[in-house]
Amino acid sequence: MDKLLKLIEKNPRLSDRELAVMLGAEEKDIKDKIRTLEESGIIKGYRAVIDKEKTQEQTVTALIEIKVHPKFEHGFDEVACQISNLDEVESVYLMSGGFDLACLVTDKSFQEVAMFVANRLAPMDSVMSTATHFILKKYKEQGAVFTDTPKDDRGNISL
């Protein structure tokens, strides 16, 4: 991955001017390169990483493993695309191991996740089984650390 993409991925709020200075390039060249990267689909979007626990929202994140029966001549792609098109699904991944696919469902209640799996995901033709895991606590996501350094309140002891 080139240096421009690494900088944007780490901090998408950097201005074209800041990126140009960091890369020793002209601001116009940076602006044109970013536009090309967006138009070609290399840059898919820009997102903030939010610590939902600090917002007091009563929602959960679920990682759902999915065992599927792949379609002839389409492999896992067709099923993965169908799952990707469900509104509740944030991400879908092809996996190695005991399950074939995994999807991430965020910002839903426990009941909403359960109803999604029971009523929309599990009944799909190619889905053979699912295993739902609820994320209990986030420590790090997309490079952002979510936990504060624990405070050592033991005090000093001298002998």
Coordinates of all heavy atoms in Angstrom, one line a residue, residues 9-10 12 46-52 138 140-146:
E9 N -5.7 6.2 5.8 CA -6.3 5.1 6.6 C -6.1 5.4 8.1 O -7.0 5.2 8.9 CB -5.6 3.8 6.3 CG -6.3 2.6 7.0 CD -5.7 1.3 6.5 OE1 -4.5 1.1 6.4 OE2 -6.5 0.3 6.3
K10 N -4.9 5.9 8.5 CA -4.6 6.1 9.9 C -5.3 7.4 10.4 O -5.8 7.4 11.5 CB -3.1 6.3 10.1 CG -2.7 6.4 11.5 CD -1.2 6.1 11.7 CE -0.8 6.2 13.1 NZ -1.1 5.0 13.8
P12 N -8.1 9.9 8.5 CA -8.8 10.5 7.3 C -9.1 12.0 7.4 O -9.6 12.6 6.5 CB -10.0 9.6 7.2 CG -10.2 9.0 8.5 CD -8.9 8.9 9.2
Y46 N -15.0 6.9 4.5 CA -14.3 7.4 5.7 C -15.2 7.3 6.9 O -16.4 7.6 6.8 CB -13.9 8.9 5.4 CG -13.1 9.2 4.2 CD1 -13.8 9.4 3.0 CD2 -11.8 9.1 4.2 CE1 -13.1 9.7 1.8 CE2 -11.0 9.4 3.1 CZ -11.7 9.6 1.9 OH -11.0 9.9 0.7
R47 N -14.7 6.8 8.0 CA -15.5 6.5 9.2 C -14.8 7.0 10.4 O -13.6 6.8 10.5 CB -15.9 5.1 9.3 CG -16.7 4.6 8.2 CD -17.2 3.2 8.4 NE -18.1 3.2 9.5 CZ -18.7 2.2 10.0 NH1 -18.5 1.0 9.4 NH2 -19.6 2.2 11.0
A48 N -15.5 7.4 11.4 CA -15.0 7.7 12.7 C -15.1 6.4 13.5 O -16.1 5.7 13.4 CB -15.8 8.8 13.4
V49 N -14.2 6.1 14.4 CA -14.3 5.0 15.3 C -14.8 5.6 16.6 O -14.2 6.4 17.3 CB -12.9 4.4 15.6 CG1 -13.0 3.2 16.6 CG2 -12.3 3.9 14.3
I50 N -16.0 5.1 17.0 CA -16.7 5.7 18.2 C -16.8 4.7 19.3 O -17.2 3.5 19.1 CB -18.2 6.1 17.8 CG1 -18.0 7.3 16.7 CG2 -19.0 6.6 19.0 CD1 -19.3 7.6 16.1
D51 N -16.5 5.1 20.5 CA -16.6 4.2 21.7 C -18.1 4.3 22.2 O -18.4 5.2 22.9 CB -15.6 4.7 22.8 CG -15.6 3.8 24.0 OD1 -16.5 2.9 24.1 OD2 -14.6 3.9 24.7
K52 N -18.9 3.4 21.7 CA -20.3 3.4 22.0 C -20.6 3.2 23.5 O -21.6 3.7 24.0 CB -21.0 2.2 21.3 CG -20.9 2.4 19.8 CD -21.8 3.5 19.3 CE -21.7 3.7 17.8 NZ -22.4 2.9 16.9
K138 N -14.9 -4.0 24.0 CA -14.0 -3.7 23.0 C -12.7 -3.2 23.6 O -12.8 -2.2 24.4 CB -14.5 -2.7 22.0 CG -15.6 -3.3 21.1 CD -16.1 -2.3 20.1 CE -17.2 -2.8 19.3 NZ -17.7 -1.8 18.4
K140 N -9.8 -2.8 21.5 CA -9.1 -2.1 20.4 C -9.9 -2.4 19.1 O -10.3 -3.5 18.9 CB -7.7 -2.6 20.2 CG -6.9 -1.8 19.2 CD -5.4 -2.2 19.3 CE -4.5 -1.4 18.4 NZ -3.1 -1.8 18.4
E141 N -10.1 -1.4 18.3 CA -10.8 -1.5 17.0 C -10.3 -0.6 16.0 O -10.1 0.6 16.3 CB -12.3 -1.2 17.2 CG -13.2 -1.4 16.0 CD -14.6 -1.2 16.3 OE1 -15.0 0.0 16.4 OE2 -15.4 -2.2 16.3
Q142 N -9.9 -1.1 14.8 CA -9.4 -0.3 13.7 C -8.2 0.6 14.2 O -8.1 1.7 13.8 CB -10.4 0.6 13.1 CG -11.5 -0.3 12.4 CD -12.6 0.6 11.8 OE1 -12.3 1.7 11.3 NE2 -13.8 0.1 11.7
G143 N -7.4 0.1 15.1 CA -6.2 0.8 15.6 C -6.5 1.7 16.8 O -5.6 2.2 17.4
A144 N -7.7 1.9 17.1 CA -8.1 2.8 18.2 C -8.2 2.0 19.5 O -9.0 1.0 19.5 CB -9.4 3.6 17.9
V145 N -7.5 2.4 20.6 CA -7.6 1.7 21.8 C -8.8 2.2 22.6 O -9.0 3.4 22.7 CB -6.3 1.9 22.6 CG1 -6.4 1.3 24.0 CG2 -5.1 1.3 21.9
F146 N -9.6 1.3 23.2 CA -10.8 1.7 23.9 C -10.7 1.7 25.4 O -11.5 2.1 26.1 CB -11.9 0.7 23.5 CG -12.6 1.0 22.2 CD1 -11.9 0.8 21.0 CD2 -13.8 1.5 22.1 CE1 -12.4 1.1 19.8 CE2 -14.4 1.8 20.9 CZ -13.7 1.6 19.7

